[in-house]
């Protein structure tokens, strides 16, 4: 896409992102165009009409870069190219053009904390001696022991196992995640400049924004000091001075990024994946930094009205303090799908759901019908809130987490490194069902890289398209009505019965969610409800939108 074409499609207001509905696509599991069992960019292009009819404002693409898939694409070999299994740069341009033609913005994942171990820089580092410029792009430290045979510290990686890996010459490199994901040294100006080049490369191709992976981990203070033990590291507060997490100087990097983003019309947007103390999130959402930050609070909340109200109030206040808008998320590529989480007790708890899956997914303790009702109600509440709603592919179909995956079919490194406690994240990354029949239920002409369960046929796009009351039609109706009703970024809580949460939005829009077990009387007929009314009343686990 030329710069003129980029500017032509970028005529929308610069604040488009503040209340956008953003749909996350995990490219390898969305649609397969060449029957190789792996989703790809042409597959996404072929489904643009579906995305347009769904009514979203933007798509966020999980990594599509060349990768060995040691971490589902988050181990990047080349930040300025497309994995040949997923297509080419020309395919990316065609996809972006089709999305823009449909009025849909494009957000891509950027992975700045680490590259893959196949990246040309890391290969050069391995081939170069200690102290070389090539090694200074990453975080290498001398090992302990007489010949450096012991790691520099006893740290553990997020995915389990040691966080330091040896290279055979007495030195070790840091990988906060998988060993195939060596951490960059962001104190090195060469690293900073190369990422600015990458951001400009994709912005010039028409990308409208970036989701920043592990945004809180880039800067580290471990170069010229004795390393703390794991116990000491874990005990340190995340107050801006922690050696590896959420250091204050990370915002110097994002100030450089913001200056680059602001060169474009409208400015490119960015949203931080920053797992940090809630009070420190606004720093990432300031207009001088990335501009928006994920809050995952509702994703982790119990399905209770007081929990939802407290979280919503807190995050709206935080967003106002940062001059940003907040984000609302229930599912993504890293967590158990919320239709399954809400089928269990305590409802909504990701950790409890992971443990349930690991123990064999006992169906006798999972109320799948209730889980879907709660998920639909929660989504309608989410879409009524001020701020951006981030939706994950397949949730518009009410897809559950898939647990029927044999060990030999699993792909997630968290499973292989923690198989005694965790099944990993493959269950939310199973390819989408588009048709009711076929070897891949319409995903592509061949099979699927992760197995689809039988229940997916009845939840497919074809099974729900045009069916009144289906989850797909609920999402379509809600997204269309949301766009019609939305105005100012505020809400006012309304008096309500115990177990009921109600608020009003500007433009005379009211949202009422019944968390209680008893049907609730509504003041008027709803514009839309997540489930059928009972004698004109709002049943349990149901949300309704009304005119005030």
């Amino acid at each position: 896409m030329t710069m003129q074409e980029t500017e032509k499609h970028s005529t929308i207001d610069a604040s488009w992102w503040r209340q956008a509905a953003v749909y996350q696509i995990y490219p390898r599991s969305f649609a397969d165009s060449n029957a190789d069992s792996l989703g790809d960019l042409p597959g996404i292009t072929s489904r643009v009409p579906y995305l347009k009819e769904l009514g979203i404002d933007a798509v966020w693409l999980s990594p599509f870069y060349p990768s060995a898939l040691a971490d589902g694409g988050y181990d990047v070999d080349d930040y300025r190219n497309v994995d040949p299994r997923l297509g080419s740069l020309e395919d990316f341009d065609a996809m972006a053009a089709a999305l823009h033609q449909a009025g849909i913005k494009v957000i891509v994942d950027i992975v700045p904390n680490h590259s893959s171990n196949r990246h040309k820089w890391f290969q050069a580092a391995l081939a170069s001696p200690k102290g070389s410029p090539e090694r200074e792009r990453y975080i290498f430290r001398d090992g302990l022991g007489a010949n450096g045979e012991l790691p520099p510290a006893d740290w553990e990686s997020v995915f389990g196992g040691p966080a330091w890996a040896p290279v055979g010459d007495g030195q070790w490199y840091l990988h906060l995640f998988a060993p195939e994901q060596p951490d960059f040294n962001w104190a090195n100006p060469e690293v900073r400049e190369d990422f600015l080049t990458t951001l400009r490369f994709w912005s010039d191709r028409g990308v409208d924004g970036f989701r920043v992976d592990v945004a809180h981990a880039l800067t580290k203070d471990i170069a010229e000091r004795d390393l703390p033990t794991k116990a000491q590291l874990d005990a340190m507060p995340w107050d801006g001075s922690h050696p590896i997490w959420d250091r204050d100087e990370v915002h110097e990097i994002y100030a450089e990024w913001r200056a680059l983003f602001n060169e474009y019309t409208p400015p490119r947007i960015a949203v931080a994946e920053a797992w940090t103390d809630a009070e420190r999130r606004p720093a990432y959402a300031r207009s001088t930094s990335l501009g928006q930050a994920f809050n995952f609070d509702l994703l982790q909340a119990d399905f209770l009205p007081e929990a939802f109200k407290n979280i919503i109030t807190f995050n709206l206040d935080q967003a106002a303090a940062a001059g940003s808008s907040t984000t609302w998320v229930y599912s993504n590529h890293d967590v158990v799908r919320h239709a399954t989480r809400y089928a269990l007790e305590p409802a909504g708890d990701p950790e409890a759901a992971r443990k349930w899956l690991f123990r064999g997914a006992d169906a006798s303790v999972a109320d799948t019908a209730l889980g879907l009702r709660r998920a639909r109600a929660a989504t309608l509440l989410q879409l009524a809130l001020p701020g951006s709603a981030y939706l994950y592919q397949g949730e518009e179909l009410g897809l559950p987490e898939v647990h029927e995956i044999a060990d030999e079919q699993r792909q997630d490194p968290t499973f292989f490194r923690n198989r005694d406690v965790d099944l990993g994240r493959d269950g939310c990354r199973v390819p989408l069902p588009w048709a009711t029949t076929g070897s891949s239920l319409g995903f592509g002409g061949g099979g699927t890289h992760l197995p689809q369960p039988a229940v997916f046929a009845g939840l497919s796009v074809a099974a729900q398209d045009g069916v009144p009351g289906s989850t797909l039609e609920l999402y379509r109706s809600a997204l269309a009505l949301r766009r019609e009703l939305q105005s100012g970024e505020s809400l006012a809580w309304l008096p309500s019965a115990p177990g009921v949460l109600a608020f009003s939005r500007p433009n005379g829009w009211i949202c009422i969610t019944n968390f209680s077990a008893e049907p609730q009387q509504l003041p008027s007929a709803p514009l839309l409800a997540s489930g059928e009314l009972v004698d004109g009343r709002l049943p349990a686990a149901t949300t309704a939108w009304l005119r005030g």
Side-chain angles (χ1 to χ4, degrees), residues 195-464:
F195 268 90
L196 291 174
T197 299
T198 293
L199 296 171
R200 193 178 300 281
F201 176 88
W202 292 110
S203 295
D204 286 348
R205 295 193 95 88
V207 163
D208 302 285
F210 300 87
R211 179 263 189 186
V212 184
D213 186 62
V214 198
H216 58 299
L218 273 59
T219 53
K220 301 174 178 70
D221 181 24
I222 59 176
E224 301 297 334
R225 58 182 290 183
D226 292 334
L227 299 182
T229 65
K230 177 184 182 300
Q232 292 170 330
L233 196 69
D234 291 347
M236 292 178 181
W238 289 31
D239 59 0
S241 63
H242 193 282
I244 60 176
W245 300 118
D246 189 30
R247 295 186 57 78
D248 286 337
E249 61 261 32
V250 75
H251 299 292
E252 298 171 10
I253 295 168
Y254 297 141
E256 292 181 345
W257 289 20
R258 174 48 52 194
L260 185 152
F261 296 153
N262 289 347
E263 294 175 10
Y264 293 85
T265 306
R268 298 319 187 225
I269 67 106
V271 57
E273 184 209 27
W275 288 94
T276 184
D277 292 342
E279 292 76 11
R280 292 184 58 81
R281 278 201 302 259
Y284 295 87
R286 293 181 305 216
S287 61
T288 54
S289 188
L290 292 174
Q292 195 175 50
F294 279 122
N295 91 72
F296 299 111
D297 297 350
L298 283 184
L299 186 154
Q300 301 174 87
D302 292 339
F303 192 76
L304 297 169
E306 57 271 22
F308 272 59
K309 184 175 182 179
N310 291 339
I311 286 168
I312 292 165
T313 300
F314 175 79
N315 282 287
L316 289 177
D317 289 346
Q318 273 208 324
S324 182
S325 69
T326 193
T327 62
W328 309 109
V329 185
Y330 292 126
S331 286
N332 60 34
H333 65 291
D334 281 335
V335 299
V336 176
R337 287 187 176 274
H338 64 283
T340 294
R341 300 202 313 271
Y342 289 146
L344 304 167
E345 301 297 343
D349 185 347
E351 184 60 30
R354 283 195 294 269
K355 291 179 179 178
W356 173 77
L357 289 166
F358 181 76
R359 291 193 298 264
D362 182 0
S364 68
V365 299
D367 189 334
T368 56
L370 177 59
L372 182 56
R373 284 210 340 262
R374 285 170 167 170
R376 289 162 58 104
T379 293
L380 208 55
L381 185 156
Q382 172 196 30
L383 293 176
L385 292 171
S388 298
Y390 279 78
L391 313 173
Y392 180 52
Q393 65 176 43
E395 70 171 77
E396 77 277 15
L397 304 176
L399 296 185
E401 186 80 0
V402 178
H403 62 88
E404 308 98 318
I405 305 175
D407 287 1
E408 61 272 16
Q409 294 175 299
R410 292 192 175 273
Q411 302 170 7
D412 188 359
T414 62
F415 167 71
F416 296 105
R417 294 181 173 87
N418 298 283
R419 60 194 308 162
D420 55 337
V421 295
D422 194 349
L423 289 181
R425 300 163 294 178
D426 293 318
C428 64
R429 300 176 179 184
V430 173
L432 294 191
W434 296 90
T436 57
T437 60
S439 62
S440 67
L441 300 178
F443 172 70
T448 57
H449 66 97
L450 286 168
Q452 297 165 315
V455 70
F456 268 29
L459 296 173
S460 65
V461 173
Q464 299 192 48

Side-chain angles (χ1 to χ4, degrees), residues 150-219:
L150 300 174
D154 63 342
W155 300 355
E156 290 184 7
S157 78
V158 173
F159 289 162
W164 294 91
V167 296
D169 61 3
Q171 285 211 308
W172 300 61
Y173 67 89
L174 178 66
H175 58 90
L176 292 180
F177 295 87
E180 297 87 353
Q181 295 170 297
D183 282 40
F184 280 117
N185 173 19
W186 275 88
N188 188 329
E190 192 175 5
V191 172
R192 297 194 182 204
E193 188 60 35
D194 195 67
F195 268 90
L196 291 174
T197 299
T198 293
L199 296 171
R200 193 178 300 281
F201 176 88
W202 292 110
S203 295
D204 286 348
R205 295 193 95 88
V207 163
D208 302 285
F210 300 87
R211 179 263 189 186
V212 184
D213 186 62
V214 198
H216 58 299
L218 273 59
T219 53

